[in-house]
Amino acid sequence: MIRADLTDIPTYVPGKTTEDALKLSSNEVAFTPLPAAVSAITEAATSANRYPDMGAVELRGVLAEHLELAPEQITVGCGSSALCQQLVQATCADGDEVIFPWRSFEAYPIFARVAGATAVPIPLLPETQEHDLDGMIDAITERTRLIFLCNPNNPSGTTFTEEQFEAFMQRVPADVVVGLDEAYFEFNRAEDSPVATEAVQRYPNVIGLRTFSKAYGLAGVRVGYAFGNPDLIGALNKVAIPFAVSSLAQAAAIASLDAADELLERTEEVVAERERVAQIVGAAPSQANFVWLPDEDAAALAGKLAEHGVIIRAFPEGARITVTNAAETDRLIQAWEAVHNG
Ligand SMILES: Cc1ncc(COP(=O)(O)O)c(C=O)c1O
């Protein structure tokens, strides 16, 4: 009944959770949505018998102001995950190639393969855990249609510089699309990083991807956005599921953008805590809301921390620990010390 190659395609694995445990496995924030966002959701719920605005006109208008782009340069999706998938569908036919860093967002290879494209993972540089941008360029073939870059990268928390990005773009053919995934943009304090809203103005083949799930604290309502050249945005819309962004999500996103300054202030706590966590666990500095321990026996570490009520994320390449607020860091440190000092 089912297409033969689906058996070999990995299933997306969400971060684990158990009741009462401290969940540091999904890069969520600990703060709840703002009261204004909750009211907007409640209000929108009263007209849930109607379909949402398929064009998300109001939300795109507010985003356009925030991003200093035109509404035609923006689309929204059911999380930026959906937009990553749409990007593959809009660019790739059977057998085309999608290049991405690895390890990175685990959905990239899944979306590529589900669309019938070939996934081309390029390992992170072993010493620094940064993108191997030269390796990605070397992997481009005439079948390459799409390259994902993840800045800061999930799970390594590393960034690349504007200069590296410019040098990279000079070598990418103009008909290959670059998806610049900035899911963790609001946590990034690296002053030399490229900024997708500026990059899309220079490169018609760059699409920026951001989300309300992380810094805006709306992971549960599912809304993300993509921006770039209107032709590419039109192509993303063509492959979208109609009405994918609910009226509740649109209302929550608008209310949250209205209070963006207040929300983004909250990222400062994450920035302070990530240094504390990195020091305790011996991780390299991170520009996102998690730290990364490559080469760690991640499954063993995750198992031991779980015995002390803390859930982290184990990958074959290492362990990722989400960073939230001071109280949760204290709980993590307690568990960490219990595991390491008995
Ligand atoms: C790098 C990256 N991109 C995109 C996403 C998708 O987030 P969402 O679908 O919640 O917007 C995630 C989620 O973890 C991520 O880590």
Side-chain angles (χ1 to χ4, degrees):
M1 287 192 291
I2 297 164
R3 57 187 250 212
D5 66 330
L6 212 56
T7 331
D8 300 331
I9 300 178
T11 303
Y12 186 95
V13 183
K16 282 196 188 129
T17 186
T18 53
E19 219 169 310
D20 299 331
L22 171 60
K23 186 185 177 202
L24 300 179
S25 53
S26 292
N27 299 342
E28 296 152 331
V29 290
F31 41 79
T32 53
L34 293 176
V38 176
S39 310
I41 292 171
T42 313
E43 168 76 28
T46 61
S47 47
N49 53 314
R50 304 287 175 197
Y51 282 103
D53 171 9
M54 196 168 127
V57 174
E58 189 181 350
L59 173 55
R60 283 173 43 241
V62 180
L63 274 169
E65 264 174 52
H66 273 259
L67 304 176
E68 297 182 15
L69 296 171
E72 316 75 76
Q73 291 177 289
I74 302 169
T75 191
V76 296
C78 180
S80 60
S81 305
L83 293 161
C84 290
Q85 180 167 41
Q86 286 164 244
L87 196 49
V88 177
Q89 288 172 325
T91 53
C92 293
D94 258 8
D96 286 339
E97 294 168 5
V98 182
I99 296 175
F100 52 90
W102 197 249
R103 183 162 277 268
S104 189
F105 182 36
E106 75 173 284
Y108 299 149
I110 300 174
F111 292 154
R113 293 175 65 183
V114 168
T118 302
V120 183
I122 304 299
L124 300 177
L125 295 167
E127 289 296 308
T128 58
Q129 298 290 294
E130 291 171 359
H131 283 38
D132 179 3
L133 293 168
D134 289 335
M136 295 176 93
I137 292 289
D138 292 344
I140 295 174
T141 72
E142 58 193 21
R143 294 306 304 262
T144 305
R145 306 274 18 108
L146 174 64
I147 304 175
F148 280 111
L149 299 179
C150 189
N151 197 49
N153 187 49
N154 170 14
S156 59
T158 51
T159 52
F160 44 83
T161 66
E162 168 95 44
E163 203 180 324
Q164 289 172 315
F165 176 71
E166 286 301 315
F168 176 83
M169 287 307 301
Q170 294 310 317
R171 298 167 67 196
V172 174
D175 63 347
V176 171
V177 174
V178 174
L180 184 49
D181 187 341
E182 293 187 330
Y184 302 96
F185 173 77
E186 296 84 358
F187 301 104
N188 184 2
R189 299 292 181 272
E191 280 166 15
D192 54 1
S193 264
V195 176
T197 44
E198 293 164 12
V200 299
Q201 305 284 36
R202 289 195 298 276
Y203 299 104
N205 57 334
V206 171
I207 280 275
L209 298 150
R210 290 188 196 161
T211 179
F212 287 96
S213 297
K214 308 295 177 184
Y216 283 84
L218 292 176
V221 298
R222 313 302 303 128
V223 52
Y225 54 101
F227 46 92
N229 159 9
D231 290 341
L232 282 179
I233 294 297
L236 288 180
N237 289 336
K238 231 176 191 174
V239 298
I241 293 174
F243 307 108
V245 182
S246 74
S247 43
L248 281 63
Q250 293 186 35
I254 293 165
S256 301
L257 281 171
D258 285 346
D261 292 347
E262 189 183 339
L263 269 170
L264 297 180
E265 255 172 45
R266 304 191 199 176
T267 59
E268 288 307 324
E269 184 169 16
V270 173
V271 169
E273 292 305 315
R274 74 185 173 202
E275 277 175 38
R276 192 154 77 103
V277 174
Q279 252 180 9
I280 298 279
V281 306
S286 163
Q287 291 297 341
N289 64 338
F290 45 82
V291 299
W292 174 234
L293 296 168
D295 307 324
E296 183 79 33
D297 182 349
L301 176 64
K304 285 187 214 154
L305 283 171
E307 284 170 22
H308 295 273
V310 176
I311 312 291
I312 64 160
R313 188 64 190 262
F315 293 111
E317 299 86 353
R320 189 193 68 199
I321 307 175
T322 301
V323 178
T324 56
N325 58 26
E328 293 193 351
T329 302
D330 289 345
R331 236 177 114 184
L332 165 71
I333 291 173
Q334 241 179 16
W336 184 268
E337 285 175 351
V339 165
H340 289 86
N341 307 327

